[in-house]
Amino acid sequence: MNQHTSPAKNPSVRIGHSACPHDCPSTCSLEIEISGNRIGRVRGSRDNSFTAGVICAKVARYAERAHHPDRLTQPLRRTGPKGSGAFEPISWDEALDIVVEKFVAAEAAHGPEAVWPYYYAGTMGLVMRDGINRLTHAKGYSRFFSSICVNPAWSGFMAGAGRLSGPDPREMGRADLNVIWGTNPVSTQINVMTHAVRARKERGAPIAVVDVYRSPTMEQADIPLLIRPGTDGALACAIMHVLFAEGFADRAYLARYARDAEGFEAHLEGKTPEWASAITGLPASEIIDFARLVGRTPKTFIRAGYGFTRSRNGAVNMHAVTCIPTVTGAWQHEGGGAFHSNSAIFGWNKSLIEGTDLLSGEVYGQTDRVTGEARATRQLDQSRIGAILCGEQEALAGGPPVTAMLIQNTNPVTIAPEQEKVRAGFAREDLFVVVHEQFMTETAVMADIVLPATMFTEHDDIYQGGGNQYVTLGPKLVDPPGECRSNHEVICALAERLGARHRGFEMSSREIVDWTLQATGRGTVEDLEAKHFIDVQPDFETAHFLKGFSWPDGKFRLKPDWAKVPFKSPGKFGPVADMPAFPDHWAVIEEATEEYPFRLVTAPARSFLNSTFTETPGSLAREKRPTLMIHPDDAAGLGIADEDEVRVTSARGTVTLHAAIFDGLRRGVVVAESIWPNGKHVGGRGINTLTGADPVAPVGGAALHDNRVRIARVG
């Protein structure tokens, strides 16, 4: 972490205020030293009560990225075979004209759905991330179904509570027990630890950590609960079995705020600690002791992460965990309840950013080329990009092939699952790809046109916290290097050449921020600029669901209707009909088999953020090389020594890593902290060669931590 220190007393250094733009729930409020047109030290704001002056080390070193000698600074055109890395500089006008020519040709041959604008969370700024949808809607291109990250987690939380919000996350500092479940905030969201550690220092509140390996967060835990991947639902059920059996259930709260409590209690009778121990690997005595501690501690705060939901039973597991404070009534107390994300509290009017007002216009409708009937423009699943680009008809949703793409804010040739299909799809000679990027990523290497992009200090944007309650302005602080242009500028330039019409294309990003703030009732951009950030946390009763959960009867769903979870998606995915009625261990995961006897989790690396920071010297020096954590007894049985090359194989492909002997795992579990570029692995195949893209029930998503594999020592 990086503790706040006073800025250098140098009159030539000014302090700019912004927000970290990366895909992390903390959305830290930043103070940035600026000298001339260069950024220097980056610190967390002490005035922001969630950031509390602390940021992660990789963002503190952001000048390494911003002023990296390998930054893209001019448009490039491919001159050699796809993937060869052979490019030549061209002008912006030439580059944009080529893109428009190819997009128009794709539309003429197959209809507008042949063009697929593809993006994600390389920046979490609302304008720069989501503005690409305005072009999609204006042109009737294939729409983007965002699925790779949040779907199992969010749908699982909504299944019980009805909306995606919860207690003020700063209440961790006022809890009597903090439970960090299925996430590693020491590496991925340091501010969670800020508040949990504060409660331990000031209140003696222990920290419990539920995870599948002894992560840096579990190293700091008072109560480590080490389980097998995909078994969180079993642990939650056994905890609640003890709560009911030993009189810790708050029956008055259940009667007022929950549905199906009697049926739930009966369902849990067989979910004993011994039953859960056989599934999770956690001794029954540890389950009982922890359940009793939760039962005795009304102010138990559960911070539920994303990691444990990246499994084929992830939504069921999230719902099971959120049932625990419902059984104890912990939601009633300050410092009690469960928190995952505050995404529902912001209430943005994003019609200008995304052009959603165009969805009711004629351009939104498409004519089926076979039947001639009108239909809605298709949404293509982000996680299934490999199947889509390889022409699998089911993945194409009945529409034409994708023959042209615009990619912003993401690096699918590294981070998407089923990499063999992804690589094959991008190698198609009939696929035109333009990538707008900051560095020559592995996706950019596969492009026909590469455009240089700005970083967050080089354009205007606005940010919301996912793991907190702040709206933060990110103003332009310095000029970009070379010929870099922002996402918004590129989208508007393409729209002008393509004849796309929407008032958002005629406005600056700052003007869009101002309109969005005012349309959402958050004041003006000048107001926010003066304050830097605003706190929009709901009142205590709303945040703790004391006015009722977000269902017509106000009651938490212990027995959810999975087919009606209020998560926006183009449909339901996966085996929804087979989802358990009450929380349970849903054995739909990739269990180990004789052929594939290990379970692989692809956890985040501390010094990377997805595939970002893999180019900075500080992060590379810390992470060293791709490794596979393997239990000493498992390694001995395979004749593997520390640092040996090992071949890891799933049904989808093979990856070579170096063994890291590590006793902080259950037997039969291995962990590869990622995401390294494919090219950093021996043999050029990265970790997502092993992961699957089959959708997670009920609303899709990628089960990136749910993989069965076999392992062999190389040579």
Side-chain angles (χ1 to χ4, degrees):
M1 75 179 68
N2 180 63
Q3 293 281 0
H4 188 294
T5 56
S6 298
K9 295 180 179 179
N10 184 336
S12 66
V13 174
R14 59 189 175 94
I15 302 299
H17 298 269
S18 190
C20 176
H22 290 288
D23 188 11
C24 165
S26 284
T27 320
C28 290
S29 176
L30 304 178
E31 296 177 1
I32 302 171
E33 291 186 3
I34 303 167
S35 180
N37 198 49
R38 294 177 65 88
I39 70 168
R41 292 191 59 187
V42 180
R43 299 181 297 273
S45 169
R46 285 181 294 187
D47 296 332
N48 183 291
S49 60
F50 185 78
T51 302
V54 180
I55 60 172
C56 67
K58 52 187 173 283
V59 172
R61 300 190 301 263
Y62 214 88
E64 285 188 345
R65 289 199 84 239
H67 306 302
H68 197 293
D70 293 340
R71 269 196 74 175
L72 296 171
T73 58
Q74 56 188 334
L76 303 171
R77 172 171 53 199
R78 178 169 63 88
T79 58
K82 280 201 171 188
S84 66
F87 291 89
E88 65 178 2
I90 57 174
S91 71
W92 268 100
D93 283 338
E94 287 179 285
L96 293 171
D97 287 346
I98 292 170
V99 174
V100 169
E101 175 189 347
K102 295 294 186 179
F103 280 19
V104 169
E107 183 172 349
H110 300 286
E113 287 183 329
V115 182
W116 189 22
Y118 190 98
Y119 68 104
Y120 202 51
T123 176
M124 295 295 279
L126 301 187
V127 177
M128 299 302 166
R129 182 190 64 195
D130 300 327
I132 193 172
N133 289 321
R134 192 181 332 116
L135 180 64
T136 297
H137 298 150
K139 289 295 296 176
Y141 294 152
S142 285
R143 292 184 292 152
F144 179 84
F145 174 45
S146 174
S147 67
I148 206 165
C149 181
V150 306
N151 301 33
W154 288 16
S155 61
F157 194 98
M158 292 177 180
R163 74 169 183 265
L164 195 64
S165 63
D168 188 330
R170 295 167 294 190
E171 289 182 30
M172 292 186 76
R174 299 187 285 278
D176 292 330
L177 169 63
N178 278 300
V179 182
I180 298 172
W181 198 309
T183 185
N184 179 16
V186 166
S187 295
T188 62
Q189 195 189 349
I190 192 64
N191 311 88
V192 168
M193 298 306 296
T194 299
H195 299 286
V197 170
R198 177 177 297 154
R200 181 162 62 186
K201 288 180 178 178
E202 296 177 358
R203 306 173 59 83
I207 298 172
V209 175
V210 182
D211 212 334
V212 299
Y213 74 116
R214 196 172 65 234
S215 67
T217 303
M218 189 174 280
E219 293 277 7
Q220 296 193 21
D222 304 289
I223 306 167
L225 299 162
L226 183 66
I227 65 174
R228 296 188 182 110
T231 65
D232 305 81
L235 175 58
C237 285
I239 290 168
M240 292 184 286
H241 169 95
V242 175
L243 294 174
F244 275 110
E246 299 193 7
F248 293 115
D250 188 333
R251 297 184 184 279
Y253 180 86
L254 286 165
R256 180 175 178 183
Y257 285 104
R259 287 185 61 174
D260 303 305
E262 291 184 5
F264 186 37
E265 183 176 4
H267 165 75
L268 291 173
E269 286 180 2
K271 310 302 178 185
T272 65
E274 292 73 21
W275 165 83
S277 178
I279 296 169
T280 64
L282 190 65
S285 59
E286 293 186 31
I287 297 174
I288 293 168
D289 289 346
F290 179 62
R292 288 171 176 167
L293 178 60
V294 170
R296 293 193 304 266
T297 312
K299 296 174 69 171
T300 293
F301 194 106
I302 299 176
R303 182 60 173 85
Y306 286 98
F308 78 106
T309 70
R310 292 189 175 129
S311 177
R312 287 166 180 80
N313 58 6
V316 170
N317 291 343
M318 173 64 84
H319 173 251
V321 170
T322 62
C323 288
I324 295 172
T326 309
V327 171
T328 64
W331 297 104
Q332 303 168 90
H333 307 289
E334 184 183 42
F339 180 84
H340 172 65
S341 171
N342 248 341
S343 295
I345 72 173
F346 296 97
W348 294 109
N349 181 335
K350 293 175 70 176
S351 60
L352 187 58
I353 291 175
E354 297 198 45
T356 52
D357 50 330
L358 295 167
L359 293 180
S360 60
E362 290 183 7
V363 72
Y364 174 51
Q366 299 292 333
T367 300
D368 190 286
R369 290 189 164 221
V370 177
T371 67
E373 296 178 356
R375 59 178 175 80
T377 307
R378 68 181 175 183
Q379 280 186 272
L380 296 178
D381 187 341
Q382 166 193 22
S383 297
R384 305 199 65 202
I385 183 173
I388 289 164
L389 295 186
C390 287
E392 295 183 19
Q393 286 302 302
E394 184 267 337
L396 286 168
V402 170
T403 60
M405 296 183 72
L406 165 63
I407 298 177
Q408 291 183 322
N409 312 328
T410 190
N411 181 18
V413 176
T414 301
I415 64 98
E418 290 189 348
Q419 277 285 300
E420 293 299 318
K421 290 184 179 180
V422 175
R423 292 157 70 110
F426 272 96
R428 282 171 38 204
E429 288 298 332
D430 67 329
L431 175 68
F432 173 80
V433 177
V434 51
V435 173
H436 186 203
E437 253 296 355
Q438 298 162 348
F439 291 91
M440 186 59 75
T441 64
E442 290 177 323
T443 303
V445 169
M446 297 299 294
D448 299 282
I449 296 291
V450 178
L451 304 175
T454 52
M455 291 188 181
F456 77 106
T457 55
E458 299 160 3
H459 54 240
D460 294 308
D461 213 335
I462 189 170
Y463 304 86
Q464 69 174 49
N468 61 67
Q469 65 295 323
Y470 281 103
V471 172
T472 307
L473 184 68
K476 180 179 177 180
L477 300 174
V478 294
D479 292 326
E483 300 176 47
C484 294
R485 294 188 185 180
S486 72
N487 292 0
H488 177 67
E489 290 173 304
V490 170
I491 294 299
C492 292
L494 289 174
E496 181 180 11
R497 285 168 165 81
L498 288 163
R501 297 288 178 261
H502 189 272
R503 58 195 175 119
F505 297 133
E506 309 299 323
M507 300 169 68
S508 69
S509 55
R510 183 180 173 89
E511 289 170 334
I512 291 177
V513 168
D514 187 44
W515 185 94
T516 301
L517 284 166
Q518 294 191 55
T520 310
R522 303 293 187 198
T524 67
V525 69
E526 288 81 10
D527 297 334
L528 185 54
E529 194 163 39
K531 300 173 183 175
H532 309 312
F533 45 78
I534 54 176
D535 186 337
V536 299
Q537 179 66 30
D539 63 86
F540 180 87
E541 289 190 341
T542 299
H544 284 257
F545 300 103
L546 297 183
K547 299 176 183 178
F549 291 91
S550 295
W551 300 104
D553 61 1
K555 294 191 174 186
F556 186 95
R557 297 307 195 243
L558 296 167
K559 183 181 182 181
D561 184 344
W562 289 107
K564 296 182 180 178
V565 172
F567 182 97
K568 291 183 179 179
S569 69
K572 294 295 183 283
F573 302 91
V576 181
D578 297 334
M579 298 181 78
F582 285 113
D584 211 330
H585 172 62
W586 188 26
V588 72
I589 57 177
E590 283 200 349
E591 291 281 13
T593 64
E594 185 176 353
E595 183 180 6
Y596 299 106
F598 291 91
R599 300 289 315 289
L600 167 68
V601 171
T602 59
R606 184 169 188 169
S607 298
F608 301 153
L609 205 166
N610 300 323
S611 67
T612 306
F613 297 100
T614 58
E615 68 286 321
T616 56
S619 293
L620 289 169
R622 184 182 181 93
E623 298 299 331
K624 296 183 176 65
R625 63 184 179 186
T627 60
L628 182 77
M629 298 179 187
I630 183 169
H631 192 278
D633 294 340
D634 289 330
L638 295 169
I640 293 171
D642 200 42
E643 300 191 3
D644 278 353
E645 284 188 13
V646 292
R647 188 175 294 113
V648 186
T649 301
S650 76
R652 305 168 193 98
T654 297
V655 174
T656 300
L657 304 125
H658 286 83
I661 308 303
F662 179 59
D663 64 1
L665 300 157
R666 294 289 174 196
R667 291 286 307 273
V669 177
V670 291
V671 171
E673 290 187 328
S674 301
I675 302 173
W676 284 90
N678 295 312
K680 293 290 185 179
H681 292 75
V682 176
R685 291 291 190 271
I687 200 67
N688 282 309
T689 302
L690 305 174
T691 58
D694 48 305
V696 173
V699 292
L704 296 169
H705 298 345
D706 182 3
N707 311 281
R708 53 176 166 241
V709 299
R710 65 174 177 264
I711 302 166
R713 180 177 177 273
V714 174

